[in-house]
Amino acid sequence: MKPSRSEFIPVRNLQYHIRHWGNDDAPALFMLHGWMDVSASFQFLVDALQRDWHVIAPDWRGFGLTDYAESGYWHPDYLADLEAILDRYAPAQAVNLLGHSLGANVAGIYAGVRPRRITKLILLEGFGRPAMTPEEAPQRYATWLDELCSVPLLRPYRSQEAVAARLQKNNPRLTKERAMFLAEHWASPDERGNWVLRADARHKLTNPVLYRIEEVLACWRAITAPVLWVEAECSELLPRFGTPDQIRTELDRRIAQLANAAILKVPDAGHMVQHDQPEILARAIDAFLA
């Protein structure tokens, strides 16, 4: 495996963990992980890249080794955190930006809000969520208020092996070796010897703010950078959009908002495409960024 190194920096009143791979003088490639994940999730993809890159990957607030946010978690905070990180490592420069899942949704919105900051954009499973309607608002606010009265908990595991087994249950394509590596970064032992996830349990709270897809698409229409749109052939998230025909129709509608998009459909891969087919993904990324 290519070695990584950790750095801790102040970002908007939090201590942020930044993982680096490669030499500082190599071209920079920023990578943003998804929900309930950590920066080390990109290890297998970084290993498969053939070009020399300085990969810079933060643990988002409330994940991994980054501080938890006492005020909770709101999507605009990720945009502001990203901008602070870019200002530190690439001040006044345009950058290559890759995001997976939540990270891809942040990257896509940011690329429309700050189009001059992005040279090329790679979205791994970054198609967003199904549209919500205003009629859903009363119940979501009520659910959020109810959940605030209790303390969310994350399940502990008896060992690193148990964490790895859970990861393999979630993703049968994951090898034991890779699952054990991820488990070491995804969780850590507590004072009782149980392994607990490196994530703030408050991420589990219902977000009372509706997902407004038309606002997201307005941001996408403002993107000027070329985009590599990556879909996993066996994505576990796509069935939320309905039947196969409904899924394709909605995804095509969303992709059409991007002025310059190349589409890559990765075979035999689920939502964690960077775990399942890192070699296919790395070849496409090296070519796209060439």
Side-chain angles (χ1 to χ4, degrees):
M1 288 185 175
K2 294 178 182 177
S4 69
R5 61 192 183 279
S6 291
E7 182 181 12
F8 293 88
I9 64 172
V11 174
R12 303 181 62 236
N13 300 317
L14 297 177
Q15 178 174 262
Y16 245 80
H17 173 238
I18 310 294
R19 188 176 301 277
H20 299 261
W21 287 271
N23 297 321
D24 291 348
D25 57 357
L29 172 56
F30 291 82
M31 294 188 178
L32 310 176
H33 71 77
W35 187 74
M36 297 303 291
D37 203 359
V38 294
S39 57
S41 182
F42 293 115
Q43 179 70 56
F44 317 129
L45 174 58
V46 172
D47 288 340
L49 291 169
Q50 295 301 302
R51 294 181 62 193
D52 290 330
W53 294 102
H54 175 200
V55 175
I56 304 168
D59 287 343
W60 284 126
R61 54 174 55 211
F63 292 115
L65 301 178
T66 291
D67 282 349
Y68 294 179
E70 293 183 4
S71 58
Y73 301 93
W74 307 98
H75 201 273
D77 280 322
Y78 296 114
L79 299 175
D81 290 357
L82 173 59
E83 180 148 284
I85 292 167
L86 295 183
D87 286 345
R88 180 183 180 95
Y89 294 108
Q93 299 176 35
V95 304
N96 294 314
L97 182 61
L98 176 152
H100 170 251
S101 195
L102 165 66
N105 283 280
V106 175
I109 293 173
Y110 185 83
V113 174
R114 299 286 200 218
R116 295 183 180 180
R117 294 300 307 272
I118 307 302
T119 301
K120 290 188 176 180
L121 178 66
I122 302 166
L123 303 178
L124 312 182
E125 291 277 289
F127 35 73
R129 300 173 60 185
M132 293 181 174
T133 64
E135 288 71 27
E136 296 178 66
Q139 184 56 55
R140 286 190 71 86
Y141 280 117
T143 300
W144 176 67
L145 289 171
D146 291 341
E147 290 177 353
L148 290 178
C149 298
S150 60
V151 178
L153 298 173
L154 295 175
R155 170 190 168 187
Y157 297 85
R158 66 183 181 276
S159 64
Q160 181 182 351
E161 288 76 10
V163 178
R166 175 56 188 268
L167 289 169
Q168 288 186 289
K169 181 179 179 181
N170 291 347
N171 181 6
R173 298 176 184 82
L174 199 60
T175 66
K176 180 65 178 297
E177 180 182 9
R178 287 181 174 177
M180 286 293 287
F181 170 84
L182 292 170
E184 183 179 359
H185 295 275
W186 206 53
S188 60
D190 63 12
E191 63 278 2
R192 297 181 179 179
N194 292 318
W195 281 64
V196 294
L197 301 186
R198 287 174 169 167
D200 189 343
R202 289 176 297 171
H203 286 294
K204 294 285 190 177
L205 291 173
T206 296
N207 189 338
V209 180
L210 297 181
Y211 181 73
R212 302 182 179 98
I213 182 57
E214 297 308 325
E215 293 181 8
V216 174
L217 296 183
C219 293
W220 287 10
R221 288 192 290 272
I223 295 172
T224 57
V227 178
L228 178 60
W229 171 284
V230 179
E231 295 176 23
E233 183 181 64
C234 307
S235 174
E236 300 88 348
L237 299 188
L238 285 179
R240 300 181 303 173
F241 290 88
T243 67
D245 287 344
Q246 291 171 328
I247 293 170
R248 193 69 259 159
T249 297
E250 180 59 16
L251 290 193
D252 288 346
R253 181 180 83 91
R254 297 185 182 194
I255 295 170
Q257 312 305 308
L258 301 168
N260 184 6
I263 301 172
L264 173 66
K265 297 180 181 179
V266 182
D268 193 26
H271 181 62
M272 303 302 287
V273 61
Q274 72 272 25
H275 298 169
D276 296 348
Q277 295 290 357
E279 294 81 11
I280 293 175
L281 193 54
R283 287 195 296 271
I285 291 170
D286 279 328
F288 178 68
L289 298 180

